[in-house]
């Protein structure tokens, strides 16, 4: 199945769109899809980088002359031509595709409509700005975004639970749960993106020079101020400069605090509980910045106020580290790419899925209690005693607060809540699964579908199950779902990554 990703990088656009598309492309490739990119060869492009990752890149026709964007939200200035012109050029190079993915602020409904009509393909739009799309599937990974903000008949995925992060973040997240702030030599990571046109990196480093912080700064050669940053970093005893870091997850895990722009890296930092100062560099980053501050996960420092505000804000972040750490962990779990893959795959099959999963909230306490009290639920529960209402409320509220656990409601195709499936953390790579279905929905295959879906969204951990020996129906359920029996009552679905 042929998938084409239309995205660009340049000195005006930056690298974020390409980087998140590469995360998606690598997961699609691992599942047997053929993925290629279509990019404009703009100044500061990442075509060689994409090719080095093993993907073919179709180089689109370069613009006759360089167009300088008039402001940071001049997205057609990024594209260097109209949507229709770009769509026509795309179709001269791409003759067939099962799915086209667009991740470009200058590409929307007009471009997508032309390409969908010509190629008769599905279309997946990645966006952050609530624009209008002619798409089958839309993703906006902005924290706090609502589906109602998109006026579309498409399936709309919103929020940081769908953030496209490298799978290494999910794998290392287990280590972040045990993290503590360094008592001395506090490690600060400075990363303003791949381009940093306003040179916020250098302004930040000047405030950090000769402090007690141990600073690591990332900025690559494509950035216009690269040489200035490198020279300044080399002159500072407490600053280490890197052009690029292949394993960003490990670097973030080793850091105590971060200073950066509120782009995709915001969700990477959140996944690993890394408190940060955020410096918005462009208009399109303001929504993310506002949401991070609202959720008390970051402190915002205006670009033109770095000299006065950065150090006091960094000291505040250090002082309230535990609160910011917990707030970040609750924002993003690093599993977004797996959730998105599930939705992409459903575009191409007669989708037999009967269920979806929704994170439970305190609004669901009464419903779950009703199910918990049902005689059929208690019959094979590890604890057969029916809890009191007060006990249940305390138990479930505590469960919902645990960022390391997962408490899902199972939703059927009619939108009804029909059961619960939980994953409780045992260790870094091991979770214990619990599942029960409302008796009115027995025999519909819901349990198997829910176990399968949880396995696809959590491929990086071992999922254990404890099933009483006389619970024949549950034993058959777990065997059908691919679980391996380890002992009389113990089953396991080993990690698949």
């Amino acid at each position: 199945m042929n998938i084409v990703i239309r995205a660009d990088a340049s000195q005006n656009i930056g690298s974020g769109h390409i980087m998140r598309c590469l995360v998606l492309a690598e997961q699609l490739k691992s599942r047997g899809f053929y993925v290629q990119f279509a990019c404009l060869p703009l100044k500061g492009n990442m075509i060689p980088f994409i090719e080095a990752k093993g993907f073919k890149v179709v180089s689109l026709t370069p613009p006759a002359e360089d167009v300088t964007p008039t402001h940071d939200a001049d997205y057609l200035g990024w594209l260097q031509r109209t949507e229709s012109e770009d769509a026509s050029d795309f179709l001269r190079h791409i003759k067939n595709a099962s799915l086209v993915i667009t991740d470009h602020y200058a590409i929307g409904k007009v471009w997508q409509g032309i390409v969908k009509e010509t190629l008769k393909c599905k279309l997946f739009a990645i966006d952050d700005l609530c624009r209008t799309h002619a798409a089958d599937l839309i993703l906006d990974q902005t924290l706090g975004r609502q589906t109602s903000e998109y006026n579309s008949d498409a399936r709309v995925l919103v929020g940081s639970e769908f953030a496209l992060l490298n799978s290494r973040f999910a794998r290392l997240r287990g280590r972040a749960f045990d993290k503590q702030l360094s008592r001395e030599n506090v490690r600060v990571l400075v990363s303003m993106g791949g381009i940093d046109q306003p040179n916020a990196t250098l302004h930040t480093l000047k405030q950090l020079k000769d402090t007690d912080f141990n600073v690591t700064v990332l900025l690559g050669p494509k950035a216009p101020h690269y040489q200035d940053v490198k020279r300044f970093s080399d002159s500072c005893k407490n600053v280490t400069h890197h052009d690029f870091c292949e394993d960003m997850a490990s670097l973030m895990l080793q850091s105590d605090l971060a200073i950066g722009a509120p782009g995709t890296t915001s969700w990477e930092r959140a996944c690993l509980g890394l408190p940060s100062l955020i410096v918005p560099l462009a208009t399109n980053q303001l929504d993310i910045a506002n949401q991070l501050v609202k959720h008390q996960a970051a402190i915002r420092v205006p670009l033109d106020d770095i000299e006065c505000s950065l150090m006091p804000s960094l000291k505040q972040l250090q002082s309230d580290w535990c609160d910011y750490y917990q707030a970040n962990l609750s924002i993003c779990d690093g599993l977004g790419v797996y959730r998105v893959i599930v939705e992409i795959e459903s575009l191409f099959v007669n989708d037999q899925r009967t269920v979806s999963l929704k994170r439970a909230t305190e609004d669901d306490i009464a419903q779950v209690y009703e199910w918990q009290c049902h005689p059929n639920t208690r019959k094979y529960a590890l604890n057969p005693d029916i809890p009191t209402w007060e006990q249940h409320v305390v138990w479930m509220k505590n469960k919902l607060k645990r960022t390391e656990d997962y408490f899902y409601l199972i939703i059927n195709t009619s939108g009804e809540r029909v059961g619960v499936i939980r994953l409780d953390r045992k260790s870094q790579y091991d979770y214990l699964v619990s599942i029960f279905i409302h008796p009115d929905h027995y025999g519909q295959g819901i349990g198997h579908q829910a176990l399968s879906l949880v396995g696809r969204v959590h491929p990086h951990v071992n999922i254990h199950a404890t099933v009483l020996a006389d619970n024949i129906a549950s034993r058959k359920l777990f065997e059908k779902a691919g679980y391996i029996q380890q002992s009389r009552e113990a089953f396991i679905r080993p990690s698949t990554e």
Side-chain angles (χ1 to χ4, degrees), residues 415-474:
E416 299 174 281
R417 298 173 293 177
V418 295
V420 164
I421 186 165
R422 294 196 339 261
L423 292 179
D424 296 334
R425 182 175 183 252
K426 292 160 56 81
S427 65
Q428 182 178 343
Y429 295 114
D430 295 276
Y431 278 76
L432 178 68
V433 66
S434 302
I435 183 172
F436 58 85
I437 309 300
H438 189 285
D440 288 350
H441 298 276
Y442 284 176
Q444 299 175 15
I446 289 172
H448 177 257
Q449 291 289 340
L451 282 174
S452 174
L453 189 52
V454 159
R456 292 166 70 189
V457 173
H458 298 263
H460 62 298
V461 295
N462 305 309
I463 303 179
H464 301 261
T466 301
V467 185
L468 297 180
D470 57 347
N471 190 350
I472 304 303
S474 286

Side-chain angles (χ1 to χ4, degrees), residues 16 28 41 88 230 250 314 326 329 344 347 395 414 488 491:
L28 288 167
S88 297
K230 182 170 175 55
S250 291
L314 195 60
Q326 289 292 342
L329 285 176
I344 289 175
L347 292 174
W395 169 82
S414 300
R488 189 166 180 263
F491 290 75

Side-chain angles (χ1 to χ4, degrees), residues 203-222:
H203 296 314
T204 296
L205 293 180
K206 286 181 178 179
Q207 303 308 308
L208 295 170
K209 183 180 181 180
D210 299 328
T211 65
D212 293 333
F213 295 113
N214 185 349
V215 180
T216 298
V217 58
L218 292 178
L219 191 69
K222 290 184 182 294

Side-chain angles (χ1 to χ4, degrees), residues 203-327:
H203 296 314
T204 296
L205 293 180
K206 286 181 178 179
Q207 303 308 308
L208 295 170
K209 183 180 181 180
D210 299 328
T211 65
D212 293 333
F213 295 113
N214 185 349
V215 180
T216 298
V217 58
L218 292 178
L219 191 69
K222 290 184 182 294
H225 304 290
Y226 169 78
Q227 291 297 340
D228 291 339
V229 168
K230 182 170 175 55
R231 276 194 297 268
F232 188 85
S233 299
D234 291 343
S235 73
C236 300
K237 292 182 180 179
N238 66 323
V239 177
T240 302
H241 171 262
H242 296 291
D243 287 359
F244 178 72
C245 179
E246 185 71 35
D247 187 2
M248 194 68 169
S250 291
L251 183 59
M252 286 186 174
L253 191 64
Q254 294 161 10
S255 302
D256 297 299
L257 304 168
I259 304 173
T264 297
T265 51
S266 298
W267 318 130
E268 295 174 345
R269 294 188 294 257
C271 179
L272 299 179
L274 182 58
S276 60
L277 301 185
I278 49 173
V279 184
L281 305 183
T283 303
N284 57 58
Q285 295 177 342
L286 295 179
D287 279 351
I288 296 176
N290 292 337
Q291 286 293 330
L292 288 169
V293 171
K294 178 181 177 181
H295 284 76
Q296 299 180 314
I299 298 175
R300 177 175 171 176
V301 176
L303 179 62
D304 59 2
D305 199 30
I306 287 176
E307 183 176 348
C308 296
S309 298
L310 188 133
M311 288 307 299
S313 297
L314 195 60
K315 291 293 185 180
Q316 180 186 340
L317 200 66
Q318 185 179 2
S319 175
D320 299 331
W321 186 87
C322 287
D323 292 336
Y324 284 98
Y325 161 76
Q326 289 292 342

Side-chain angles (χ1 to χ4, degrees), residues 369-381:
Y369 183 64
E370 178 187 331
W371 294 336
Q372 288 274 29
C373 293
H374 196 284
N376 286 14
T377 303
R378 303 317 304 177
K379 182 178 180 181
Y380 292 113

